[in-house]
Amino acid sequence: MLIDAKGKACPIPVVMAKKELDAGCDDLTVAVDNATAVANLTRLAESRGLQLAVDEQNGLFSVRMYGKGEAPAPAPAASCAAAGDGYAIFIGKDHLGEGDPELGYNLLKMAIYTLSQSEQPPACIVFMNSGVKLPAGGEQQIIDNLNQLIARGSEVLVCGTCLNFYQLTDQLKAGQISNMYDILDRLRLTSKVISL
Amino acid sequence: MSGEYYLVVFEQTEQAILAQKLLADLEAMVMPTLREISVSCGLSLRLKPEHLEEARRRLRGAALSDWQIYHISFADNRLRCQLLRE
């Protein structure tokens, strides 16, 4: 089956693909026109244990998912459980607390540093809304600290819709572009979510 | 991230934020003041040893008030914080 999802913004291509897969389709090709959609479709295929083939021509992508697949989401569960004690950090803005924005930004930067030094790093860190400005910004300390966390097993998931909104998709320097499905799955699979 | 480093601690958070801008190109890293130095929630700047003297020169030149520098090291699995004399 072929789905034409060109011109559709995140997460519509994934929604369309997921609907067909849930209906039993075992050989699906989705045509999209942006890298975020490819990344999200790739993650969808991986989470279902499907074979994947991606083809690009003149900025248009063809993502084929096929095979029998496996039960969805065992991989995320395992990867979350493997890092630290299975807690998640949710960062939905580019500052911590309310008050002076510069102080709030520095507090958040300090919190990410402290997490990177923690003996028990989080299983995953989720960035949404203006929070995506941190992994896609120019602050080297934050990028370094996030990459240290990734090296220690933390997953860093960055909302693709939000990156797109702030026109930062090509600026992402740490973590992976994700979507609402994966993000909510990760949060559900951890035993505790700390919202900063 | 392990190994020795220097930590600039401040009495006032505003001074720390100002100093961070002053030392931005020296890779000064913002971190919480170590509990071994102060039990309050402070904002400190972590410096690589090679940037100590330049950082000290700038801090003095900017006439920032109430800052101190500690040498932080690890020995026998213990953290050691030594205040530098100005």
Side-chain angles (χ1 to χ4, degrees), chain B residues 2 6-7 9-10 18 26 29 41-42 44-45 47 51 57 62-63 67 69 75 81 84:
Chain B
S2 59
Y6 290 91
L7 195 65
V9 302
F10 300 85
L18 285 174
L26 298 183
M29 192 176 281
C41 176
S44 297
L45 299 178
L47 295 170
H51 293 137
R57 191 186 66 75
W67 52 272
I69 301 182
C81 309
L84 300 191

Side-chain angles (χ1 to χ4, degrees), chain A residues 55-130:
Chain A
D55 186 40
E56 182 196 0
Q57 281 189 337
N58 303 322
L60 298 178
F61 302 87
S62 167
V63 182
R64 183 182 171 212
M65 308 175 222
Y66 57 100
K68 287 199 176 295
E70 297 163 2
S79 65
C80 273
D85 58 357
Y87 69 99
I89 300 286
F90 180 86
I91 298 176
K93 51 192 188 321
D94 61 358
H95 56 276
L96 199 159
E98 300 304 329
D100 183 82
E102 189 167 28
L103 174 63
Y105 174 73
N106 277 290
L107 290 174
L108 189 50
K109 190 159 72 164
M110 213 157 59
I112 292 172
Y113 169 89
T114 307
L115 285 170
S116 75
Q117 303 291 299
S118 167
E119 287 181 10
Q120 290 188 316
C124 51
I125 307 176
V126 172
F127 290 96
M128 273 200 162
N129 209 320
S130 62

Side-chain angles (χ1 to χ4, degrees), chain B residues 45-61:
Chain B
L45 299 178
R46 176 177 173 151
L47 295 170
K48 292 179 179 175
E50 60 265 36
H51 293 137
L52 172 66
E53 288 312 318
E54 175 61 16
R56 186 144 50 176
R57 191 186 66 75
R58 291 189 198 180
L59 289 168
R60 284 177 183 148

Side-chain angles (χ1 to χ4, degrees), chain A residues 8 10 16 18 31 59 61 67 83 99 102 108 124 128 132-133 140 158 170 184 194:
Chain A
K8 308 281 188 195
C10 168
M16 296 168 80
K18 200 165 182 290
F61 302 87
E102 189 167 28
L108 189 50
C124 51
M128 273 200 162
V132 304
K133 292 179 182 176
Q140 194 57 44
V158 187
D170 57 354
L184 291 181
I194 300 171

Side-chain angles (χ1 to χ4, degrees), chain B residues 23-42:
Chain B
L23 307 179
D25 61 319
L26 298 183
E27 303 172 69
M29 192 176 281
V30 177
M31 64 174 273
T33 304
L34 292 168
R35 281 174 285 209
E36 289 78 358
I37 295 173
S38 168
V39 291
S40 71
C41 176

Side-chain angles (χ1 to χ4, degrees), chain A residues 2 14 17 27 34 37 39 59 73 88 90 95 132 152 158 173 180 196:
Chain A
L2 172 68
V14 174
D27 191 346
N34 65 85
F90 180 86
H95 56 276
V132 304
R152 297 179 63 199
V158 187
K173 300 177 185 74
M180 194 64 86
L196 293 183

